[in-house]
Amino acid sequence: MAFKVLNPGLLTTVQDLGRPGYFHLGIPMSGAMDRYALRAANLLVGNPEGAAALEAVFMGPQLEFEVDATVAVTGADLPARVDGEPHPAWTAFPVRAGQVLSFDYLRGGARAYIAISGGIDTPPALGSRSTYIIGALGGYHGRALASGDMVPLGSPRAVQHGMEVPAALRRTVERSAELRVLPGLYWRLITEEAGRNFFEDEWKVAPEADRMGYRFRGGRPFTFNPREQPFGAGSNPSNIVDACYPYGSIQVPGGTEPIVLHRDAVSGGGYFTLGAVVSADMDLISQMQPHTAVRFVKVDMEQALAARADEAQRLARLREALAA
């Protein structure tokens, strides 16, 4: 049971919910950048919500199926077609053996998730099928899909075609967004003025936005409090002696352009970090196109935990809506 890749699109990889637990070895979590969209797609086709699916960036692939399957596409607004016939997003639909799944042009967002009944059955690596391209780990031979690949599928279970995610539970991607930030250990290195500027300024997603991280431009440069640089930190005030980088942390190399570290980011380094984007907003980042306008909003720990609880409730509502 498999499908054949006729055209891989721009960048299509196998992703599940990732491989936590290896940061101390320098191996990032990887996994779907929009975890909610992946979960929704899997639930629609009767898979466990953490099953491996496809993450397609900006352009969809063209896939020929060898077996009958149920498919769902979530995340970015990337219209699906089966043998040229359109099918709605966030909805389960059938694809018969011999038919071709293809996609129209992107209308919004950045990453679409294509779940197939039975899940993608590539060999797990360190407990996950997620692709970490830089490390040639997981997925389909540790790389993005290419024309001619035969991608194996697992055994599906019966599912109801036409099942859909209610509109209220679908995340839409706007032309601007707010990202909540919890200041962290190294916030003390910047001046009060720099901190105010960071939250007051409008930033825009730079073209350098990928699975490792999202760079933002347009705000004022950072200024730093005077200090004697510690041994080994280098002369630039944005440098520190190496520290860990948690998921969502914001580093500012050279004190100019913040970078929010995402699923394939390194686990540590020598740039200071302002703090971290709250986990509830990390899926949103993954759907931002270059030049999307963003404002960062300061929150405290109580507000960050409340945001996480709200996201957990939304996921609970999704599970309830799609319960078989």
Side-chain angles (χ1 to χ4, degrees):
M1 295 188 292
F3 62 82
K4 181 178 182 180
V5 180
L6 303 181
N7 186 319
L10 183 63
L11 179 67
T12 303
T13 57
V14 176
Q15 302 292 343
D16 53 26
L17 290 178
R19 55 176 64 81
Y22 298 95
F23 242 30
H24 65 294
L25 300 176
I27 300 173
M29 295 178 290
S30 298
M33 288 184 67
D34 187 342
R35 293 159 63 84
Y36 181 85
L38 174 80
R39 292 178 190 270
N42 273 320
L43 290 172
L44 283 167
V45 300
N47 293 342
E49 57 189 68
L54 298 180
E55 178 182 88
V57 183
F58 294 139
M59 294 174 57
Q62 189 176 23
L63 313 174
E64 183 178 32
F65 283 71
E66 289 197 332
V67 295
D68 293 351
T70 302
V71 174
V73 181
T74 61
D77 187 359
L78 190 65
R81 292 180 178 270
V82 177
D83 284 353
E85 293 296 319
H87 286 269
W90 299 88
T91 303
F93 58 87
V95 180
R96 305 302 180 192
Q99 290 188 313
V100 174
L101 174 67
S102 61
F103 294 86
D104 288 344
Y105 292 109
L106 181 71
R107 295 177 180 172
R111 289 170 175 82
Y113 292 85
I114 307 162
I116 302 167
S117 52
I120 293 174
D121 197 24
T122 54
L126 299 179
S128 170
R129 293 181 170 88
S130 288
T131 310
Y132 175 42
I133 293 178
I134 295 175
L137 186 67
Y140 191 86
H141 301 296
R143 59 168 173 80
L145 297 188
S147 297
D149 288 346
M150 296 295 297
V151 182
L153 295 171
S155 299
R157 73 174 191 175
V159 66
Q160 178 183 349
H161 296 149
M163 182 181 292
E164 63 179 3
V165 174
L169 294 176
R170 304 180 188 185
R171 171 173 277 157
T172 57
V173 182
E174 308 295 340
R175 294 184 179 272
S176 61
E178 291 186 345
L179 297 175
R180 291 164 287 189
V181 173
L182 182 66
L185 177 64
Y186 297 104
W187 184 265
R188 59 184 172 81
L189 298 185
I190 62 174
T191 62
E192 289 187 12
E193 180 184 23
R196 288 194 303 271
N197 293 345
F198 174 67
F199 290 119
E200 290 174 359
D201 289 349
E202 180 180 88
W203 301 83
K204 289 191 176 180
V205 176
E208 300 88 349
D210 56 27
R211 290 187 52 83
M212 291 189 69
Y214 264 56
R215 183 185 292 267
F216 294 86
R217 292 178 176 157
R220 285 166 282 187
F222 290 80
T223 52
F224 294 83
N225 292 314
R227 67 170 182 142
E228 182 179 348
Q229 287 290 93
F231 178 77
S235 59
N236 193 291
S238 68
N239 292 350
I240 57 171
V241 178
D242 284 9
C244 298
Y245 290 155
Y247 171 56
S249 59
I250 308 169
Q251 64 173 210
V252 193
T256 55
E257 297 175 346
I259 302 172
V260 179
L261 302 182
H262 224 292
R263 302 299 298 184
D264 284 355
V266 295
S267 57
Y271 294 118
F272 92 105
T273 54
L274 289 172
V277 173
V278 301
S279 59
D281 289 349
M282 291 300 290
D283 286 356
L284 176 60
I285 292 177
S286 72
Q287 296 297 351
M288 293 178 179
Q289 297 180 5
H291 310 298
T292 299
V294 169
R295 288 191 183 275
F296 295 101
V297 178
K298 185 178 182 179
V299 296
D300 58 24
M301 181 60 76
E302 183 177 354
Q303 291 169 311
L305 292 174
R308 186 169 69 177
D310 289 343
E311 189 69 8
Q313 290 174 5
R314 186 168 75 113
L315 183 56
R317 292 195 299 272
L318 174 72
R319 290 170 177 150
E320 182 179 1
L322 301 181

